[in-house]
Amino acid sequence: MNLIFLGAPGAGKGTQAEIVCDKLNIPTISTGNIIREALKNGTELGLKAKSFIESGKLVPDEVVIDIIKERLAQDDCKEGFILDGFPRTVVQAEALDRMGINIDKVIDIEVSDADIEKRLTGRRVCSVCGSSYHLEYKKPAVDGICNKCGGALVQRKDDAPETVRERLAIYHEQTEPLKAYYEEKGKLFIVEGQEEVADTTALTFKALEA
Ligand code: ADP
Ligand code: ZN
């Protein structure tokens, strides 16, 4: 199955994508993770993307389109994949169509802006393995330390409050139109994001079976 997970930043699409891909045994492709990895390693892509990602702006379409083209050509995508964080603009969606890739379903996880702001500004991520925590909702066993690997927890630069508002504005302006884009093709399935991850997961699987 070829899936797209859509939603505002912090709506929890990444979390759901990870759960679903484990179950279906297909890879999740997160453009955000690919770009952050490049940033960490100081590659050419990282340098190109740095100023955009840190200020909460979208990386230029042609850059992410190239990333996805290359990634989807790899062998592990033959049986299906989940796209997490791509497409984020209509131009990107059109590019995906032009690659001749058929998308089966688009799962849109909906969460209110107010809840998103709370979630993102309280989010902390492991500087080593990338696991995600929250100061209120998903505390690590020991403050500031990753449960899985012992790495230090840090705040992503783009989770600072002003940057979160900027990301939400960009989401509404550039990414939300994708709902209509996929609705017209009969591919859009809406999942109301719940407070508990497991509750959202149950709704997500329901949408996948529909
Ligand atoms: P979130 O969904 O929490 O915003 P992501 O990890 O998906 O986080 O993305 C973080 C940042 O990476 C975005 O703000 C943007 O700068 C960049 N990025 C990721 N995917 C794309 C994309 N498809 N198009 C443009 N920029 C992207
Ligand atoms: Zn860790």
Side-chain angles (χ1 to χ4, degrees):
M1 208 158 17
N2 298 343
L3 304 171
I4 291 173
F5 276 45
L6 206 64
K13 57 187 180 329
T15 306
Q16 294 305 321
E18 293 292 337
I19 296 170
V20 172
C21 78
D22 275 353
K23 182 102 184 234
L24 301 183
N25 226 338
I26 52 178
T28 292
I29 300 163
S30 157
T31 40
N33 285 349
I34 293 174
I35 297 167
R36 275 188 296 277
E37 189 63 28
L39 210 78
K40 211 158 86 181
N41 297 331
T43 65
E44 197 186 326
L45 165 64
L47 291 177
K48 262 194 238 168
K50 185 176 165 67
S51 65
F52 297 101
I53 195 165
E54 288 185 348
S55 62
K57 299 209 163 54
L58 294 184
V59 173
D61 286 329
E62 56 289 2
V63 175
V64 278
I65 289 167
D66 280 349
I67 294 176
I68 283 293
K69 215 182 248 169
E70 211 174 278
R71 183 63 188 85
L72 289 179
Q74 290 173 20
D75 270 354
D76 62 338
C77 294
K78 293 222 164 75
E79 303 296 319
F81 54 80
I82 298 178
L83 293 179
D84 161 24
F86 184 96
R88 251 181 161 94
T89 64
V90 171
V91 171
Q92 293 176 19
E94 287 167 350
L96 194 59
D97 288 343
R98 273 200 304 275
M99 287 175 214
I101 286 162
N102 178 58
I103 296 297
D104 297 297
K105 280 185 179 176
V106 177
I107 306 290
D108 174 45
I109 303 194
E110 300 247 325
V111 172
S112 74
D113 282 12
D115 284 343
I116 298 257
E117 286 197 33
K118 269 189 265 169
R119 287 192 194 187
L120 287 185
T121 52
R123 173 161 74 177
R124 296 295 180 271
V125 294
C126 175
S127 53
V128 179
C129 76
S131 294
S132 181
Y133 297 86
H134 193 280
L135 294 180
E136 267 179 75
Y137 312 127
K138 195 182 166 200
K139 294 185 186 174
V142 180
D143 268 358
I145 305 287
C146 176
N147 290 350
K148 290 188 191 152
C149 79
L153 302 185
V154 297
Q155 182 172 45
R156 264 169 53 175
K157 270 207 176 116
D158 58 347
D159 282 346
E162 326 74 70
T163 316
V164 165
R165 278 189 287 276
E166 167 85 10
R167 283 159 70 198
L168 274 172
I170 292 174
Y171 166 76
H172 288 302
E173 190 184 308
Q174 303 207 47
T175 307
E176 222 171 9
L178 290 177
K179 289 201 269 181
Y181 185 89
Y182 288 112
E183 170 91 80
E184 265 168 41
K185 298 177 193 285
K187 297 193 170 163
L188 186 74
F189 293 78
I190 291 183
V191 167
E192 293 288 339
Q194 308 293 308
E195 261 179 45
E196 295 293 331
V197 170
D199 294 337
T200 308
T201 303
L203 295 176
T204 300
F205 276 106
K206 220 167 164 188
L208 289 176
E209 282 152 19

